[in-house]
Amino acid sequence: MGIGAAAGVAAAGGVALTAQASGDTSASSSSASGSLVFDPDAYTELTTTVTDTEGTDHEVTYHFWKAITYVAKPVDAAYQSLNVSVPVTIDGTAVDASDAPILFANSVGGYMPSSVANATGIGGGGTGGGMVGGTPSGAPSSSASAAATAPGANGDTNATGGALSTNQLLALAAGYVVVEPGARGRTLKNSAGEYYGVAPAAIVDLKAAVRYVRANKGRIPGNTDRIVSAGTSAGGALSSLLGASGDSPLYDEYLEEIGAADASDAIFATGAWCPITDLEHADGAYEWNWGSNAAGSGSKVDRTVSKELRAQFAEYQASLKLEGLNGFGTLNARNYDEYLVKQYLEPSATTYLAALPDSERATYLAANTFITWKNGRASFSWADFLTHVGARKKTAPAFDAFDLSTGENNLFGKGTTVSRHFTAYSLKNDTTGLTSKRPDSDIPELLRLMNPMCFLVEKANPNRTKHWWIRLGAKDSDTSHTVSANLAAAAHTLGDDVSHLYYWDQGHGANTDAGDFIEWIAKVTGHRTRTRK
Ligand code: DHB
């Protein structure tokens, strides 16, 4: 596929630039934002059936704006475009979404490129990298060479498709506006062999898309001060980062470079499912969490490496000085197992078991004797929980692989270099022949631009989102459970409103309470669906 596909990339890039040049002759001047005006009339009217969480069907007629390029100087418009869906009637009743919350739902998975340009309606966006069920969905031609040489391995299963379109459809049926942004991703390569979607491209694009929406206040339907972001896995990481880093000047030069609209990129609330984030600390956290679990599919974990990484986690966690929820006290590597069990895992199992009919609960408990069920509550030990989860998904180190084979290594690629180390430890143990002692000098800044924790710990960003919805499958071993829990604890320590729950026995990418998320949006935004007349 190499040569033909690479030519496709070059051609598509050329087309985008040509269109830019002829369509907006003032692109390089300060009036570049002239090209970023949302056209309220440029929609098509579509109808879809949305099945709610009770199983009831609703007919929703909505206006659909497709593939609006959200920056004045796109690098690749196929990715730097967004779709907008606005409900006009729900079950035959006219609704007024002019002041409704805006669900800003990305479909990034695996830090891969995501495009909505070929979608035929809401929820139709997909990852250009083609990781949704192995089928390229909504992938424009310019993504054709994606992943030809970049790693896609490391068990990066993009689980975004199903989970997120559920959010989007339910939001539409609740009367909300839905914005679906595309974004550049790590595997995109131009004809010169340069990776143009590596860090921090995706977060810069999502911020630019928020700015576009904000700059079009009054033209684009919905309340631009009530933007609620959603994303899963890498998309969950970006959603958290979008929430944490609102209006941070650190991104200004990147935003300027692509001609982002001059507006705020702060968002009101963040929804994040299984966020794969805090990457520079994730190897240590992973070994702390899953270090005693055997790796699946015959791969081996180096015990020494696992132990060394685990020690790094202890140091890192102590430095964070985070307060656990519900008055737990300061979290550290010694008490975190108890914290996860008491705060998240037992309540998750309790909710699950309590909802089962008596006979099914009895069957479940008979098959899972590590759980004690007493007075309507589940209890168990951390060690037994780990055994229950079984094989860990990744080997050690889980994120910065010694052989540069992970998607995250590619995320920190640069120019024509497909993959780089982003931790000193993995660079030291590199097996690809690298001899440098320290990660490249631009790496610390890139890590900062990609990590929501940097905006929540020590010097907190005052313009961050103050409302957090964080969800995780209890059996998800794509990253450490401490990653989400630290995010929640960091926001909680700052006094933010945090809802963080686990889905019992669910794996990576689960979203089993989408209806609750939609209700939570109404609650935190104070929104009531308005009918017309
Ligand atoms: C995703 C999963 C991973 O295991 C990972 O390391 C990065 C991203 C994902 O599903 O998006």
Side-chain angles (χ1 to χ4, degrees):
M1 101 130 149
I3 295 169
V9 171
V15 169
L17 286 171
T18 310
Q20 170 58 29
S22 59
D24 177 15
T25 47
S26 60
S28 60
S29 77
S30 59
S31 63
S33 63
S35 62
L36 297 178
V37 176
F38 179 81
D39 179 355
D41 300 322
Y43 61 81
T44 48
E45 188 163 294
L46 301 172
T47 297
T48 189
T49 302
V50 177
T51 306
D52 69 20
T53 50
E54 325 262 79
T56 308
D57 284 349
H58 300 278
E59 198 181 76
V60 183
T61 301
Y62 65 104
H63 290 170
F64 183 62
W65 287 258
K66 182 174 159 169
I68 304 167
T69 301
Y70 54 69
V71 287
K73 296 182 261 178
V75 178
D76 191 336
Y79 298 95
Q80 295 167 305
S81 296
L82 55 77
N83 293 347
V84 179
S85 299
V86 178
V88 285
T89 67
I90 300 173
D91 292 330
T93 305
V95 292
D96 176 4
S98 56
D99 200 34
I102 299 173
L103 178 69
F104 184 87
N106 79 66
S107 56
V108 175
Y111 287 105
M112 303 285 273
S114 65
S115 173
V116 297
N118 287 350
T120 50
I122 187 170
T127 53
M131 290 181 76
V132 179
T135 327
S137 64
S141 59
S142 59
S143 73
S145 82
T149 51
N154 198 32
D156 295 19
T157 46
N158 172 1
T160 59
L164 280 177
S165 57
T166 304
N167 285 343
Q168 286 133 245
L169 289 168
L170 291 178
L172 189 75
Y176 306 166
V177 171
V178 178
V179 172
E180 299 171 286
R184 286 169 293 165
R186 62 181 171 82
T187 53
L188 294 172
K189 193 160 71 153
N190 65 20
S191 52
E194 295 156 343
Y195 288 90
Y196 63 90
V198 292
I203 185 62
V204 172
D205 286 353
L206 294 182
K207 280 177 173 289
V210 171
R211 287 184 176 207
Y212 174 88
V213 172
R214 269 273 173 66
N216 280 291
K217 181 185 168 107
R219 280 188 290 268
I220 207 164
N223 184 344
T224 55
D225 290 328
R226 293 290 179 270
I227 297 176
V228 181
S229 159
T232 300
S233 197
L238 291 165
S239 182
S240 328
L241 181 57
L242 198 61
S245 68
D247 283 343
S248 165
L250 291 179
Y251 303 85
D252 282 353
E253 77 184 72
Y254 295 97
L255 286 160
E256 212 164 289
E257 206 174 293
I258 56 175
D262 185 13
S264 165
D265 56 63
I267 58 166
F268 184 76
T270 285
W273 285 257
C274 52
I276 303 283
T277 193
D278 200 4
L279 297 172
E280 63 270 43
H281 304 109
D283 290 334
Y286 198 92
E287 296 315 312
W288 176 88
N289 194 148
W290 309 115
S292 58
N293 292 44
S297 55
S299 32
K300 282 237 177 328
V301 175
D302 183 322
R303 300 312 330 164
T304 309
V305 168
S306 179
K307 219 173 126 212
E308 286 174 358
L309 287 169
R310 208 181 158 103
Q312 289 176 17
F313 171 73
E315 206 175 306
Y316 170 59
Q317 192 62 46
S319 77
L320 290 174
K321 300 188 180 69
L322 296 178
E323 295 300 310
L325 274 65
N326 289 319
F328 185 85
T330 310
L331 298 169
N332 60 48
R334 288 176 313 285
N335 66 16
Y336 220 133
D337 50 357
E338 189 198 339
Y339 179 63
L340 290 176
V341 168
K342 295 288 172 228
Q343 174 64 32
Y344 295 117
L345 296 167
E346 287 180 349
S348 166
T350 297
T351 302
Y352 172 84
L353 287 165
L356 291 180
D358 289 351
S359 64
E360 282 182 40
R361 186 184 318 114
T363 307
Y364 186 93
L365 290 168
N368 293 279
T369 53
F370 75 100
I371 300 177
T372 302
W373 180 253
K374 209 172 141 195
N375 301 329
R377 279 169 195 271
S379 60
F380 46 83
S381 71
W382 173 246
D384 284 344
F385 166 73
L386 292 177
T387 306
H388 177 64
V389 173
R392 53 188 271 169
K393 188 148 175 192
K394 299 178 177 180
T395 55
F399 294 91
D400 189 352
F402 295 158
D403 63 358
L404 290 172
S405 60
T406 70
E408 284 75 14
N409 289 127
N410 176 215
L411 177 65
F412 292 101
K414 187 187 185 190
T416 56
T417 304
V418 56
S419 291
R420 292 190 298 169
H421 288 298
F422 51 94
T423 65
Y425 181 77
S426 289
L427 180 61
K428 197 176 83 188
N429 290 286
D430 171 80
T431 56
T432 71
L434 295 173
T435 51
S436 48
K437 294 267 178 292
R438 240 175 248 183
D440 288 352
S441 60
D442 61 316
I443 290 281
E445 186 61 8
L446 287 179
L447 290 169
R448 197 168 139 84
L449 292 168
M450 294 303 289
N451 193 341
M453 297 299 284
C454 298
F455 300 91
L456 302 174
V457 179
E458 284 175 27
K459 232 177 109 211
N461 174 16
N463 301 322
R464 70 186 182 278
T465 177
K466 307 293 189 313
H467 304 276
W468 301 83
W469 175 274
I470 305 169
R471 292 294 185 269
L472 185 60
K475 281 194 164 174
D476 186 343
S477 68
D478 274 52
T479 192
S480 169
H481 284 353
T482 60
V483 170
S484 287
N486 271 345
L487 194 60
H492 166 77
T493 301
L494 295 172
D496 296 352
D497 153 35
V498 179
S499 169
H500 180 15
L501 292 180
Y502 280 55
Y503 304 127
W504 185 249
D505 273 358
Q506 296 289 320
H508 189 57
N511 176 11
T512 61
D513 61 352
D516 293 348
F517 176 58
I518 301 306
E519 278 177 27
W520 178 82
I521 293 175
K523 194 182 106 198
V524 297
T525 61
H527 175 73
R528 285 185 177 199
T529 301
R530 286 206 312 235
T531 49
R532 279 193 197 273
K533 279 182 233 124

